[in-house]
Amino acid sequence: MLTWQDIVARSESGNLAPPSRVEKTDQEWQAQLSEEAFRVTRQKGTERAFSSGMCTLFEPGRYGCTCCGTLLFDAHEKFDSGTGWPSFTHPVQDNAIAYHKDGSHGMTRIETTCATCDAHLGHVFPDGPPPSGLRFCMNAVALKKLD
């Protein structure tokens, strides 16, 4: 199981190789995505807390990257963190998400991106529920329900 120490190490020393790569120009991403999805995923934005119904959506299914469709999370790992963003305890595959130190906004956090297309997803924190203790705090606009 992925641990906080694994995530910190990857953010410092490098991430696992992704399952595949998707690379597009900003113009191609802009043509494909909504204005808000482009701002969040390609420009490292953040949606307003509690702005999506996805926070309270707890039906079975899987979630993928809104940009490239890469499978990221299973609904069985989703929980109500009370933060206003969809939260998960761990990704479906260890190499689906890449981790990067983020010193923006006067704090140190670990940013999560889609390993396949580099889309900004959100951040991961070590304050989630057992057994992983992780909270993958995602922007809902960065995710799409696959099934």
Side-chain angles (χ1 to χ4, degrees), residues 4 7 40-41 45-56 63-66 70-74 77-79 81 83-92 96-99 109-115 119-125 134-144:
W4 180 247
I7 289 171
V40 169
T41 62
T46 301
E47 65 192 4
R48 275 185 315 104
F50 301 100
S51 64
S52 170
M54 191 182 285
C55 292
T56 56
Y63 295 87
C65 174
T66 200
T70 295
L71 175 62
L72 300 173
F73 297 101
D74 187 284
E77 305 308 327
K78 193 167 187 280
F79 69 100
S81 65
T83 62
W85 291 279
S87 297
F88 300 84
T89 58
H90 62 79
V92 171
I97 293 179
Y99 306 97
R109 303 177 289 175
I110 295 184
E111 175 194 13
T112 57
T113 61
C114 173
H120 171 74
L121 303 171
H123 292 84
V124 61
F125 302 94
L134 300 174
R135 175 172 55 96
F136 284 82
C137 188
M138 304 291 98
N139 288 287
V141 72
L143 302 175
K144 66 179 176 182

Side-chain angles (χ1 to χ4, degrees), residues 27-76:
Q27 293 78 16
E28 290 171 315
W29 287 122
Q30 214 160 12
Q32 173 187 326
L33 301 168
S34 71
E35 190 175 315
E36 177 74 347
F38 181 80
R39 184 185 70 77
V40 169
T41 62
R42 308 320 304 180
Q43 297 177 325
K44 299 181 186 276
T46 301
E47 65 192 4
R48 275 185 315 104
F50 301 100
S51 64
S52 170
M54 191 182 285
C55 292
T56 56
L57 181 67
F58 289 98
E59 59 190 34
R62 300 177 311 158
Y63 295 87
C65 174
T66 200
C67 293
C68 69
T70 295
L71 175 62
L72 300 173
F73 297 101
D74 187 284
H76 294 307

